[in-house]
Amino acid sequence: MSLYNFKKIMVVPTAKDFIDITLSKTQRKTPTVVHKHYQIHRIRHFYMRKVKFTQQSYHDRLSQILTDFPKLDDIHPFYADLMNVLYDKDHYKLALGQINIAKNLIDNVAKDYVRLMKYGDSLYRCKQLKRAALGRMCTIVKRQKSSLEYLEQVRQHLSRLPSIDPNTRTLLLCGYPNVGKSSFINKVTRADVDVQPYAFTTKSLFVGHMDYRYLRWQVVDTPGILDHPLENRNTIEMQAITALAHLRAAVLYVMDVSEQCGHNLQQQLDLFNSIRPLFANKPLIIVANKCDVKMIAELSEEDQKIFADLTAEGIIVIETSTLTEEGVMKVKTEACDRLLVHRVDNKMKGKKVHDVLNRLHLAMPAKRDEKDRPPFIPEGALTRKKTMDVDEPKRKTERDLEIEMGDDYILDLQKYWDLMNEEEKTDIVPEVWEGHNIADYIDPEIMKKLELLEQEEELKEKAGEYDSDEESEDEEMQEIRVLAKQIREKKQLLVATSKEKDIHGPRMPRTTTKVERAKLEKEMGGLGLDMTDKDDSHYAQNARRSRSVTKKRKRDVSVVPTSKTRSQSASRPPRDQSGLRDATMVKKAKIMMKIGQRDMIRQGKKGEGDRHIYDLKPKHLFSGKRTNGTNDRR
Amino acid sequence: MRIEKCYFCSGPVYPGHGMMFVRNDCKSFRFCRSKCHKNFKKKRNPRKTRWTKAFRKASGKELTVDNALEFEKRRNMPVKYNRAIWDKTVEAMKRVEEIKRKRQARFIMNRLKKGKLLEKEEAITEVKKNIHLIRAPHAGKAKQLEAKMVQKLQEDVDMADEDL
């Protein structure tokens, strides 16, 4: 029904946006290229298409708006009245009417210009016609700016209206402002309406839902009504009146016994009487709220008389307190029951009932003996029904406990565990030991298995498996190990010393270096020989005799003996003298050598093969003007 | 709370550590650290990666079949808490752990025995071949010769005395 359509109304664009959208759509969705030299029918067709396309877009959108918005005559009178109250029926109809007119105008414009286009004889003429057509259509829409804005606002507000089903079971709360209607609905349903000490906190209708006897009930909270004639009422109060007038509901007229709302009982009674005609066919209950502050019995005589009168007329008065929750359930059950009875009565009076009644048939089995077979109702169901009626909390919930204990409350779910021994509920259960999960070891037969294992262990130990097998090695073997270790160390030492030697250039054989006597004696001593007192040993004597006994071979006088070491044999002359006859030749050879090296040394080269260029692009050769001259030097 | 096993290295994954990867075939893999995770992503086989427990067990470097290892098994039905059972289990766990360690150590020791023999042989050959690096061949011989000569002389003298 119209209930949910309110939310599905499409957005109404502003006039400017509407024009922009449609024109850009026309540009995108129709062909854009046309030339002067095309055939005239093609040019005409091109521009006609544009005009018709624009007209089509506008038409579609405007029709959609017209169909989306609800027609006040077609929807439920409650919503019609509500919309009238909120948006003013006349203004609404007018706005929609304007849109309709605009749509028709646009269609006419398009028709006219398409007709004219048939007589366009050049590209320029057709183009101008198209321009004119589109321009006129856009102007029409621009004139509708205010209507479109108004409709957009209406749409937004409509979509936010509470979804009240006018046909289902409803309880309606009414009364002065601040009497406790919103508190009531908060208590009875899951709604969360604002409750504040100032009047007119509730400014529109609110809906809450509750369950009773397996049925869904709506509870409608209204803004407070003040006592003045209908014409003087403002929009907010009118909403309440509309609800009262159109919804077939049980009416709960809430009165404030303690007069905290700011109006005394007489005023409240006057209001009641003035809106009484609205309660014509509806079950009525008077809710005397705020009885925790003041009971009816504590009131003065006249006030009590008021209530007595009301009861005498047959209207039920129930005392409640939304603060302490006493009487709230009573009101609920009473109102719901009476409404149900009322609705059933209405249905019975109607026409459709007979169809339903004809279809229902209760089959009663024939009694075969006198034994009484009553229906079986399990005990749990009976107790539950009782608690449902009384509506008291069955058991203490954790939440109640939490509220009771305040800051001391700790949530302890272990107390609900179902264990064999009750004392073990508070145990701290170990889960892990030394990197193993205890849960992996749990086994009903673990002790038996352990026993078997222990037996195995014993056997193994007896068999000697766990004896430490370090056979004490005999002395010889130990000595061998020590020696082997020393040998390995010595080897490593030799390798290390040979790596340390800094060898650049040609290696001299070992025999070229002179062996020092002290070094020889130290090494041999390290190897185990006795080196004390070796003055008259062969090598010591040789060392003393060396100078006087060395033999030199006879050479030519011109050759100067230059050998310094004993190991070089005298027959091999040094290289800078081999092949030279006499001193002059030697001199010449020397000069030649020096000449050959001159260039190298001057250029600072390391040797004849050194071709490295330190500075590939010296700045002084590459800068400055290149006039007549050379670049090798500047 | 459970201590899981890493899929790659079979090490313990404590709560709050490591990563879990769930594949499209609903198999989940837990890793103790990014090293294992990265190796897994490189598609390496844990049975061939030498530092993992899987390799060690697969190549016989560690004890695989033993009764002491049968105690720890993942059970899918949780057991209701009962203090007596838990106490017994914890004690049994400790004892089983002792025995397990002893056996594992024994297994490894047995494996390494061969190496010890080879070491011995090597020492002997080393000494035989390279003794010259630390000892000169006739190191103590001079003194021995002297001692022998002295002894001989002594004997000669004695004999001479006897003759007389």
Side-chain angles (χ1 to χ4, degrees), chain A residues 417-421 423-444 446-447 449-450 453-454 456-457 460-461 465-469 471 473 477 479-481 483-484 486-488 490-491 494 524 526-530, chain B residues 1-4 12 14 66-68 70-75 79-86 88-97 99-103 106 110 113 116 119-124 126-128 130-136 138-140 143:
Chain A
W417 282 0
D418 169 29
L419 299 174
M420 290 207 327
N421 305 358
E423 316 89 53
E424 294 173 5
K425 276 187 185 172
T426 51
D427 271 1
I428 302 171
V429 182
E431 291 173 38
V432 159
W433 175 74
E434 273 216 4
H436 302 280
N437 294 308
I438 293 179
D440 289 344
Y441 282 81
I442 295 199
D443 193 357
I446 192 167
M447 293 324 264
K449 286 197 187 161
L450 185 64
L453 193 71
E454 300 257 19
E456 262 185 50
E457 261 318 280
K460 282 199 176 169
E461 278 198 39
E465 232 183 89
Y466 291 124
D467 298 337
S468 69
D469 39 23
E471 328 114 6
E473 298 177 322
M477 200 55 221
E479 221 189 282
I480 290 180
R481 280 196 199 266
L483 286 176
Q486 285 178 351
I487 292 173
R488 278 187 218 120
K490 189 75 201 276
K491 270 199 199 167
L494 290 175
M524 287 301 157
L527 286 177
L529 291 171
D530 179 28
Chain B
M1 182 177 74
R2 260 191 85 85
I3 297 176
E4 309 281 349
Y14 278 83
D66 192 51
N67 281 340
E70 300 297 316
F71 278 76
E72 181 166 12
K73 201 172 30 162
R74 191 196 169 110
R75 284 146 230 273
V79 177
K80 261 196 202 169
Y81 174 70
N82 186 343
R83 196 186 291 170
I85 294 181
W86 250 251
K88 276 198 285 181
T89 308
V90 173
E91 276 180 43
M93 258 171 84
K94 295 182 182 168
R95 182 77 191 113
V96 165
E97 188 65 21
I99 296 174
K100 205 187 340 172
R101 284 191 195 164
K102 266 206 288 180
R103 291 195 186 179
R106 174 62 26 194
N110 287 344
K113 261 192 220 162
K116 295 226 162 83
E119 250 184 63
K120 222 174 169 189
E121 308 287 315
E122 218 190 289
I124 295 173
E126 182 92 48
V127 166
K128 276 204 194 134
N130 295 329
I131 189 72
H132 59 89
L133 290 175
I134 50 171
R135 289 237 193 297
H138 297 289
K143 275 229 166 93

Side-chain angles (χ1 to χ4, degrees), chain A residues 78 81 172 239-248 278-279 282:
Chain A
F78 166 63
D81 230 357
L172 196 51
Q239 290 183 49
I241 301 290
T242 318
L244 269 176
H246 290 283
L247 293 176
R248 289 186 309 146
L278 287 169
F279 302 157
K282 306 188 171 86

Side-chain angles (χ1 to χ4, degrees), chain A residues 303-320:
Chain A
D303 296 335
Q304 285 204 16
K305 194 165 160 307
I306 297 175
F307 284 106
D309 286 340
L310 288 170
T311 332
E313 291 174 36
I315 308 167
I316 303 179
V317 177
I318 303 180
E319 286 195 308
T320 59

Side-chain angles (χ1 to χ4, degrees), chain A residues 435-437 440-441, chain B residues 1-15 17-21 27-33 36-37 46-47 52-55 57 62-64 69 72-74 100 104:
Chain A
H436 302 280
N437 294 308
D440 289 344
Y441 282 81
Chain B
M1 182 177 74
R2 260 191 85 85
I3 297 176
E4 309 281 349
K5 276 210 323 156
C6 172
Y7 168 80
F8 200 81
C9 67
S10 316
V13 185
Y14 278 83
H17 289 258
M19 283 231 267
M20 176 155 98
F21 163 64
K27 191 159 193 294
S28 56
F29 300 87
R30 285 178 195 268
F31 305 105
C32 60
R33 56 200 192 285
C36 304
H37 190 37
R47 283 163 166 271
T52 55
K53 260 290 189 266
F55 173 85
K57 295 217 150 105
E62 280 196 9
L63 189 61
T64 16
L69 299 171
E72 181 166 12
K73 201 172 30 162
R74 191 196 169 110
K100 205 187 340 172
Q104 279 171 343

Side-chain angles (χ1 to χ4, degrees), chain A residues 356-374:
Chain A
V356 178
L357 281 178
N358 287 341
R359 277 190 275 151
L360 291 173
H361 170 69
L362 188 59
M364 299 292 290
K367 283 198 167 209
R368 66 161 184 218
D369 56 19
E370 291 308 313
K371 195 161 165 200
D372 194 26
R373 292 185 177 88

